[in-house]
Amino acid sequence: MRLWDAGTGAQLAVLEGHTDAVSDVAWSPDGTRLASAGWDDTVRLWDAGTGAQLAVLEGHTNCVSVAWSPDGGRLASGSADGTVRVWDTATGAVRAVLDGHTDLVSSMVWSPDGTRLASGC
């Protein structure tokens, strides 16, 4: 994964850790962290300032996508395994596993107040 300066086009950092293609990337609401999701079935949290890897979130069994909650305290990950996982971003613990989809969960969005999550398959 590469981090760029959008104004100058300069490459700021290369964030390495995924062992297969990165399928999705999202900024935390406060801009201090990044979440990346990959074909290696993991979600990784990164410090946006230093590029340091903060956590590896594991549990999915297929390609993953990500969406931050409005307060940055939770991260939703959707997968081709048909599940959505809600993670606590401070501890890396799974708060919930949501199932019911029969195919790839390709999109997720939080309600503005962070009390609901919509997912699309």
Side-chain angles (χ1 to χ4, degrees):
M1 189 170 71
R2 297 176 189 273
L3 186 59
W4 304 90
D5 181 310
T8 66
Q11 181 174 294
L12 302 174
V14 176
L15 308 180
E16 297 179 345
H18 285 284
T19 59
D20 205 338
V22 174
S23 54
D24 199 13
V25 178
W27 285 99
S28 64
D30 66 3
T32 63
R33 295 169 291 169
L34 287 162
S36 61
W39 284 73
D40 61 1
D41 308 337
T42 68
V43 173
R44 295 170 189 264
L45 300 180
W46 307 87
D47 182 298
T50 67
Q53 185 173 277
L54 303 172
V56 179
L57 310 178
E58 298 177 296
H60 286 294
T61 60
N62 212 320
C63 179
V64 185
S65 59
V66 291
W68 288 91
S69 66
D71 67 1
R74 291 164 294 156
L75 184 76
S77 59
S79 172
D81 65 16
T83 66
V84 174
R85 293 176 184 266
V86 178
W87 307 87
D88 182 305
T89 60
T91 66
V94 176
R95 286 187 164 185
V97 178
L98 313 174
D99 56 18
H101 287 289
T102 58
D103 204 347
L104 167 72
V105 178
S106 57
S107 61
M108 295 159 297
V109 63
W110 290 88
S111 62
D113 65 1
T115 61
R116 293 175 287 168
L117 176 68
S119 58
C121 171

